Amino acid sequence: MNAPTILHDVSRRAFLQRTAALGVAGVAAPFATTLGAIGEAAAATATDYKALVCVFLQGGNDHYNTLVPYDPTSHALYAAARGALAFGRDALQSTALMPGADLGGRAYAFAPAMAPLNPLFDAGRLAVALNVGTLIQPTTRAQYLNKSVRLPPKLFSHNDQQSFFQASSPEGAVSGWGGRIGDLYQSGNGSATMTCINASGNAVFLTGRQAIQYNVGTGGPVSLLRGATSLYGSSAAAATLRQMMTETNPHMFATEYARVNKRAMDTQAQLANLLAGAPESQFNLFPSGNSLADQLRMVARMIAISGDLGVKRQVFFVSTGSFDLHDNLATIQPTLLGRLATAMRAFHDTTAALGVADKVTTFTGSDFGRTLASNGNGVDHGWGSMHFVMGGAVKGKRFYGTPPAIGHNTNDDVGQGRLIPTMSVDQYSSTLARWFGVSDGDLTTVLPNIGNYDKSTWSQGFA
């Protein structure tokens, strides 16, 4: 067999594998994105269960009014720069956090709406990562101003920075770091399809080079034909259509299509049956009228049946939006943060009740932070931000990273209080990936820019 024939057969097999995965993904990743991601992945094995849960805040959360400077000096600088949008220091007394010895006298408080997370921080189940953002390599203000360092393309652009956070590439990325972690573990899971699970629709974060995200709704798996038992009023027509979709055919692609459809239907039925067997009383801590809580409730239900599915490693994605607050920040953001805090608290408490809190690590992400300067009624697109990491395995009650200087024209500021990140998304992500079990040798595959950072910083220590 000559070389072109070998390459043709390898490409054909990869295409068929990729096409097969599409059929079980519920609402599958865009075909162009998926096709472009064809590749081989190393395999990793695990004997215990672990789950990573990404909570993505769409639109760029304003971190300055989420984690608020609280010591008198820092709060005065913050209030002077923010004006009418600043929280008064007296409004923060009940959510003030224990000053960290590593903060050099600095102190922070959660926004009042974040109060449900205070007990988790105090109990060591929640940590705060400071000034996290998209980078390609370590960057200083001088390098930024002199354009002497590589920067993420299209900084301050929603689509591109969402993608860069999730995939280490701008819009159009073909795989995300959550999916690339899935590539390593799916062959060792009892059900490879259940490795990367999205309860929020679709995201490049969970698209692997081989792994495909499986989409679930807040009520359970998405069924083919929407579970219809009749077609045009005829049950016979529906049964015939299902038979046509799953019967073998002499044509190679038709046979593959039928095999994928049958597997998708079987997977949906298996998952629906297992979820129906999980007692509803285990998941009654979640508030109603909160879409993020609904998604996290679904994640908790999936984790509860992970043993029945035979999976050892799972990566989940949920999201909530409306954080792009150029206007009405003071009235809208507290509601958004309140929903975030209550949903995360309910999820943590549910995992604790299920006995898996130390096996589940939840973390937040967002497009970017916001400007310190107000535009009058809101704030504009920024860069570095802060994020939460939550779970029983988290080394909480601490702040990780470097507290940014507060004000304008500081060494951390590239204009209007936009922070140059001092913890890259790669360093943030590598800490989570290492906890998950990813080896240092595989980290450069999962996070292509991590090699630009000193290896001693690959783990930030919070998990």
Side-chain angles (χ1 to χ4, degrees):
M1 185 179 292
N2 58 30
T5 302
I6 294 172
L7 290 174
H8 171 78
D9 287 349
V10 170
S11 298
R12 173 180 168 275
R13 285 196 300 273
F15 175 77
L16 289 174
Q17 291 169 355
R18 202 68 183 173
T19 306
L22 281 170
V24 298
V27 181
F31 184 68
T33 297
T34 307
L35 185 61
I38 290 175
E40 300 299 325
T45 58
T47 57
D48 59 342
Y49 179 80
K50 286 185 178 180
L52 279 173
V53 183
C54 177
V55 178
F56 204 84
L57 312 180
Q58 307 277 6
N61 179 43
D62 174 44
H63 60 290
Y64 284 111
N65 272 22
T66 301
L67 182 75
V68 188
Y70 185 68
D71 62 277
T73 300
S74 298
H75 184 271
L77 293 170
Y78 151 82
R82 280 243 134 165
L85 293 181
F87 284 110
R89 195 163 182 271
D90 56 348
L92 302 169
Q93 291 180 9
S94 62
T95 53
L97 304 171
M98 288 283 292
D102 52 335
L103 293 182
R106 299 275 294 275
Y108 289 98
F110 288 151
M114 302 295 292
L117 294 184
N118 274 81
L120 295 185
F121 184 88
D122 293 340
R125 296 298 184 95
L126 184 78
V128 177
L130 298 169
N131 200 8
V132 180
T134 57
L135 288 173
I136 294 176
Q137 62 191 83
T139 300
T140 66
R141 184 172 186 264
Q143 290 171 326
Y144 173 87
L145 295 175
N146 293 332
K147 300 180 180 179
S148 61
V149 66
R150 290 181 299 160
L151 296 170
K154 300 180 182 179
L155 279 174
F156 320 125
S157 155
H158 284 295
N159 292 350
D160 292 284
Q161 296 313 298
Q162 283 181 13
S163 179
F164 212 93
F165 194 106
Q166 297 180 27
S168 303
S169 295
E171 187 177 20
V174 296
S175 69
W177 60 267
R180 294 192 290 266
I181 289 176
D183 288 337
L184 300 174
Y185 288 96
Q186 67 169 359
S187 64
N189 268 342
S191 176
T193 307
M194 296 291 106
T195 304
C196 297
I197 300 175
N198 196 326
S200 185
N202 196 11
V204 69
F205 174 74
L206 284 184
T207 300
R209 295 186 174 95
Q210 293 177 328
I212 295 290
Q213 56 196 303
Y214 186 91
N215 291 81
V216 294
T218 55
V222 180
S223 60
L224 267 69
L225 307 179
R226 298 184 180 179
T229 57
S230 66
L231 181 65
Y232 301 114
S234 169
S235 58
T240 300
L241 177 59
R242 289 177 183 273
Q243 180 181 354
M244 291 172 61
M245 291 175 65
T246 56
E247 65 185 0
T248 57
N249 188 293
H251 193 280
M252 177 182 68
F253 284 104
T255 297
E256 186 67 15
Y257 174 74
R259 187 182 69 83
V260 167
N261 283 335
K262 184 176 186 307
R263 187 172 69 184
M265 292 179 185
D266 291 345
T267 299
Q268 187 273 331
Q270 177 196 24
L271 189 55
N273 287 336
L274 289 175
L275 288 171
E280 287 294 321
S281 59
Q282 293 179 313
F283 312 103
N284 58 12
L285 297 177
F286 291 91
S288 60
N290 182 329
S291 63
L292 180 61
D294 292 340
Q295 294 171 53
L296 286 171
R297 183 178 184 275
M298 187 67 233
V299 172
R301 292 177 67 198
M302 293 292 297
I303 290 171
I305 63 169
S306 59
D308 297 312
L309 291 169
V311 292
K312 298 297 184 182
R313 290 291 187 272
Q314 291 183 291
V315 186
F316 295 91
F317 184 89
V318 299
S319 68
T320 183
S322 301
F323 285 92
D324 189 24
L325 294 172
H326 294 275
D327 299 293
N328 301 313
L329 175 77
T331 55
I332 297 176
Q333 193 196 28
T335 299
L336 301 179
L337 293 180
R339 292 171 183 165
L340 171 66
T342 55
M344 289 183 65
R345 175 65 184 274
F347 181 68
H348 172 272
D349 290 352
T350 299
T351 61
L354 292 171
V356 295
D358 62 336
K359 302 179 186 300
V360 181
T361 296
T362 305
F363 63 97
T364 60
S366 193
D367 319 18
F368 37 61
R370 311 294 291 197
T371 56
L372 174 60
S374 166
N375 62 21
N377 195 26
V379 287
D380 297 320
H381 298 181
W383 193 357
S385 186
M386 54 71 54
H387 289 290
F388 299 114
V389 186
M390 178 182 77
V394 172
K395 299 170 185 174
K397 203 175 182 179
R398 287 190 59 189
F399 302 86
Y400 293 86
T402 305
I406 303 168
H408 301 300
N409 297 316
T410 70
N411 286 334
D412 296 319
D413 178 29
V414 296
Q416 296 182 282
R418 291 186 175 95
L419 297 175
I420 302 172
T422 48
M423 183 189 301
S424 71
V425 172
D426 296 86
Q427 292 166 306
Y428 180 63
S429 307
S430 66
T431 307
L432 297 163
R434 276 178 149 188
W435 170 81
F436 202 64
V438 176
S439 68
D440 286 356
D442 286 328
L443 271 180
T444 54
T445 299
V446 172
L447 301 165
N449 296 321
I450 194 63
N452 296 333
Y453 300 88
D454 188 283
K455 195 169 183 178
S456 66
T457 69
W458 287 13
S459 178
Q460 296 294 302
F462 50 75

